Amino acid sequence: MKLDEIEDVEIDNEGKFKYILIKAKEKSTKLSKLLVRGYAECPYHADILEKTEQSVNSSEISLSCPGGGRIERNNYEKTLFVFGYSQGFGQADHSKTVSILKNKFPDYTIEYSNEGY
């Protein structure tokens, strides 16, 4: 699997859920990009990383997590709100997360706060 074959964003369709920012790096080229992953089914931020590792399933790509938080998604109002932190990984740079989300959801209002859990 190559880096450009990995979706930048995979988040649940509605509601409030934990998310992590992931740095994916191609071992052969050293190229990297940031990914956003968030799933309500994962009770811990580490579970999201594990699920992503299983889906990428490539010895050519290394994944690391610089931080996490939560996302609240409302499709009716077309809003995404990024906030909080991960007890295990620390707080993600929410401004980077918002930039990535804006590419995937250009018609949504996307905001963040470094407050809350």
Side-chain angles (χ1 to χ4, degrees), residues 77-95:
E77 294 180 4
K78 292 201 169 198
T79 60
L80 288 164
F81 183 59
V82 180
F83 65 99
Y85 62 93
S86 161
Q87 288 185 330
F89 297 117
Q91 186 174 66
D93 184 337
H94 296 324
S95 64

Side-chain angles (χ1 to χ4, degrees), residues 11-69:
I11 62 171
D12 277 354
N13 197 39
E14 187 78 24
K16 189 187 300 184
F17 45 86
K18 292 180 178 182
Y19 94 93
I20 59 173
L21 196 58
I22 299 171
K23 183 176 182 180
K25 188 161 81 173
E26 234 175 65
K27 293 177 182 175
S28 60
T29 64
K30 305 291 188 222
L31 292 173
S32 67
K33 71 176 182 175
L34 291 173
L35 313 172
V36 176
R37 296 291 185 269
Y39 310 110
E41 70 187 55
C42 295
Y44 300 102
H45 290 94
D47 296 332
I48 300 169
L49 182 58
E50 185 176 312
K51 180 176 174 142
T52 306
E53 287 169 340
Q54 290 170 356
S55 71
V56 169
N57 191 22
S58 171
S59 60
E60 298 302 311
I61 306 284
S62 68
L63 301 177
S64 61
C65 178

